[in-house]
Amino acid sequence: MVVRLLVNLSRFIVTFFAATVAVFLLMRAIPGDPAQIALGVNASPELLEETRRQLGTDRPLPVQYVDWVTGLPQGNFGVSFVTRQDISPMIADRVQVSLILVMLSMVVALLIAIPFGTLAAVRHRQPSGVLISAMSQLGVAIPGFLAGILLVVVFAVGLGWLPSNGWTPPGEDFGDFLRRLVLPVAALASVQGAILTRYVRSAVLEVMSEDYLRTARAKGLGPLEALVRHGLRNASIPVLTVTSVQLAALIVGAVVVERVFVIPGLGSMLLDAVGNRDMLTVQSVVMVLVAITLIINLVVDLLYTVLDPRIRKKA
Amino acid sequence: MSQSTDIASPPGEPDAVVRRPLRRLSATLAVGTTIVVIVVLAALISLFWTPYDPVKAFPAERLQGSSALHLMGTDKFGRDVFSGILYGARITLMVGLISVGIAVVVGTPLGILAGMRGGATEEITMRGADILLAFPALLLAIMFGAVFGASTTTAMVAIGIGSIPGFARVARSGTLQVMSTEYVLAARASSQSAFRIARRHVLPNIAGMVVVQCSVTFALAVLAEAALSFLGLGTPPPVPSWGRMLQESQQFLGTFPMLVVWPGAAIAVAVLGFNLLGDGLRDRFDPKLNGER
């Protein structure tokens, strides 16, 4: 188990640093000089020289890379070339917003997917099971931002029950925080719930054909009781894998949904930075998103060993 | 479809178990294929004919509802929405085809190579796939958009690169399965070249899985392109794309919600079609599942 932990941890570190190199090189492939972009075309050569020194872009690329990458583990992302402000406090601020949105959406999605997916599997030959499958198939086809727009049309514009966009920090006005969170979370969670429902269904279907479940039935347990006591733990492993993959997709999906609902998260920050050609901010936000994805994968891999004793023994 | 199944099953066989699921599988495949054909037809038709010029503005006819003249009404510039939807199908299909093409051409050989060679080749290829997997296609496309500017080409290339790991993984796991079979063992014993084994035995056997991955990736590419165009990082104006039609009509949510509904429905139906096609094909190609669903 310790070996497995170390292997995973070293893979995480290698992947992370390989990703930093890739992102850094891609971002520096941009035609143009950051100082020129910041100052505009009419800047004098002296001012450009001065600005390059201030930004640190006059140094060789490897030096710039090392400078940037050694700051990352300490949460030090450097100073934006465009706004000339420290990027780190803004990321710290935005990451909370995005994490609240993404985590809450994932929890709601699982609360939808686990009961409905199980039901769809248990009743897979009945109309109710087929209906759930059809609904989930439809949900998978709708992108999160479209779900968001449609929810706004119905619940904000049509019925006027909820605000159509905006964000209130939870410390400021908790009621308003929740009210503004309902539609974006519903948009992300409904789509994600549909995706996960399909996986829960097939995982439970798989488990239902196992011998041990037949044994459990033979010793007198009802169908649902047998499934809950012996089946769901086994069905949870493939679902966990998918959840971790989907969590990464959800983080990126949230980028677009944040735009729809004007939520000041990492997604809005990324898109604003792209619009301003603020490359250092873009590469920093991207690395934060990638780091979150990798950390999730690491945690999930540890969870496997908790859920599946066979993996624990093998290592 | 079901007709031929009935005839095909030999009399006296206990085929009741097999026949029912088979018929249902065909329904998934049939609906998926139908939708995909409709999208392809829309794209083909738009090459030769659209009711109006999809990019030409008619300010006098702006924001009209559905009518005999304008099937889906007109947008804020007076452009015919139906023409835009037809033209958008072309963009959608082109993005899907090119990005899936990039991913399948690069990812599949890499996966086969990793599966057949093993050792360091496998380790390097799959770790590379892991690194790329940390960048979802959409995130990659946003970065590419920032660096190279927003265009349909940038979006296609980025989505394509982002989809490579999926193909590499599918091809590798399929190859590993094939390599452990006896006929590959026999082929190796008769000292056939690795390339020949890959072409004669591995590729035909994993082709089904790769085709399924193509269909699923196509759906994801359509979603990614729609999101990118919605964000203004995909197909630039004035070329109509479903994602940007959505974004442009967002300001009319309260007054003309149908302007959102049409492109939204187009995206959802296209994605549904490719997903159903993938599901149907998967059930076809994976005999393990046949009895169960």
Side-chain angles (χ1 to χ4, degrees), chain A residues 34-44 47-49 51-52 84:
Chain A
Q36 188 94 58
I37 294 169
L39 295 173
V41 276
N42 297 324
S44 69
L47 191 60
L48 274 174
E49 203 55 50
T51 311
R52 272 187 210 120
R84 304 290 182 89

Side-chain angles (χ1 to χ4, degrees), chain A residues 104-122 129 132-133 135-136 140 188-205 227 232 235-236 238-240 242-243 246:
Chain A
L104 202 60
S105 303
M106 194 42 120
V107 170
V108 176
L110 284 170
L111 288 178
I112 297 170
I114 293 173
F116 278 105
T118 310
L119 203 66
V122 174
I132 296 173
S133 298
M135 292 286 290
S136 62
V140 172
L188 284 169
S190 56
V191 173
Q192 206 47 239
I195 295 173
L196 291 175
T197 298
R198 287 161 51 77
Y199 285 100
V200 172
R201 175 180 175 273
S202 69
V204 174
L205 266 180
L227 195 63
L232 288 188
S236 67
V239 171
L240 187 67
V242 162
T243 304
Q246 287 302 321

